[in-house]
Amino acid sequence: MLSFFLRRLLIAIPTIFLISIFVFGLQKLLPGDPLLVLAGEERDPAVLEFLREKYRLNDPIPVQYMTWAGNALRGDLGISLRTNQPVTELIAQKLPVTLQLAMMSLIFAVVIGVPAGILSAYRKGTMVDWVANVVALSGLSIPNFWLGIMLILLVSVKWQLLPASGYVPPGEDLWLSIKTMLMPAFVLGTALAATLMRHTRSAMLGVLTSDYVRTARAKGLSERKVVLKHAFRNALTPIVTMTALLFGELVAGAVLTEQIFTIPGFGKLVVDAVFNRDYAVVQGIVLVTAVGFIVMNLLADMAYVLLNPRLREA
């Protein structure tokens, strides 16, 4: 188990290194000079030169990368050009908000998508299967921004059941925090539930026709035990993979939903940083997001070993 984890970790290290080069290099290819905004309206050449020296932009690009990467290894992702705050501090403020939204969305996706996929595979070719596929296709087709606006109009404006927007930290009021996150989490979760349902159905269809499932039925086991204990357990590997990838996608891709529901999370921070050409913030966010994806894949690999005895033996 430990050797398996170490092997996967050794693969992750060069991946993070290549991602850091990619992130840093793309920022250098972007047009424009972010220091022009900081220099003021007059854009005094002396001020610009001072700022370039301060942020070490006169150094050769390889030297700039080594300085940035070395600081990142120590947990220092630089200083925001707009707010003059440490990037790690900005990320620490916004990341918990997006993580809460991602966790609640993933709960919706798993609770809806996995049972629907199991039922659709078990009832293949029936009306239940047809309805599940139609609902899944609808979930993939409906834009998040349209569904979010419709929920605000109906649930918040017309029925006045939930807050229309905003965010309350769980530490201040847990129940109000959950209420403010229910609608955006549902909007994100429905689209992901459709994806998860399709993958669960596909995995279950492959397992339900296997020899050991037929053997389990021949032994007289109940259909519930056959489907949930024997079939579903062996179909979990692709489902776990997809769930891990979906969680990473939620953290990185909740920009539009956060804008609609005025949630001060990662999405708003990314949008503001891109428009303001705040390169340090953009680099820090992309690097943290990429590392998050890799960590989720590592956890998924560990889950494979725990779920599949054959991998543990190997």
Side-chain angles (χ1 to χ4, degrees), residues 8-48:
R8 301 300 297 175
L9 190 61
L10 287 175
I11 297 173
I13 291 173
T15 304
I16 295 174
F17 172 68
L18 292 175
I19 289 172
S20 68
I21 294 177
F22 184 72
V23 170
F24 186 85
L26 281 182
Q27 289 295 319
K28 295 302 177 184
L29 294 176
L30 292 177
D33 188 351
L35 297 183
L36 294 178
V37 179
L38 297 178
E41 295 181 359
E42 297 180 0
R43 298 180 178 178
D44 188 344
V47 175
L48 285 172

Side-chain angles (χ1 to χ4, degrees), residues 61-138:
I61 290 179
V63 176
Q64 292 183 39
Y65 169 75
M66 294 302 296
T67 302
W68 175 73
N71 292 333
L73 287 174
R74 294 191 295 269
D76 180 9
L77 295 175
I79 302 295
S80 169
L81 298 177
R82 295 289 296 179
T83 64
N84 207 31
Q85 288 181 270
V87 176
T88 50
E89 183 180 310
L90 289 172
I91 291 175
Q93 291 173 357
K94 305 297 184 182
L95 184 57
V97 180
T98 300
L99 285 178
Q100 181 185 352
L101 176 60
M103 285 298 299
M104 293 180 65
S105 303
L106 195 63
I107 290 171
F108 274 115
V110 171
V111 169
I112 297 172
V114 173
I118 295 173
L119 190 61
S120 177
Y122 183 68
R123 299 291 186 183
K124 180 185 176 182
T126 65
M127 181 62 70
V128 173
D129 183 26
W130 184 82
V131 171
N133 279 283
V134 169
V135 172
L137 183 61
S138 301

Side-chain angles (χ1 to χ4, degrees), residues 1-11 298 301-302 305 311-314:
M1 182 76 170
L2 181 60
S3 61
F4 174 79
F5 176 74
L6 291 176
R7 286 198 302 270
R8 301 300 297 175
L9 190 61
L10 287 175
I11 297 173
L298 280 174
D301 290 339
M302 298 298 291
V305 179
L311 291 178
R312 287 200 298 270
E313 293 171 2

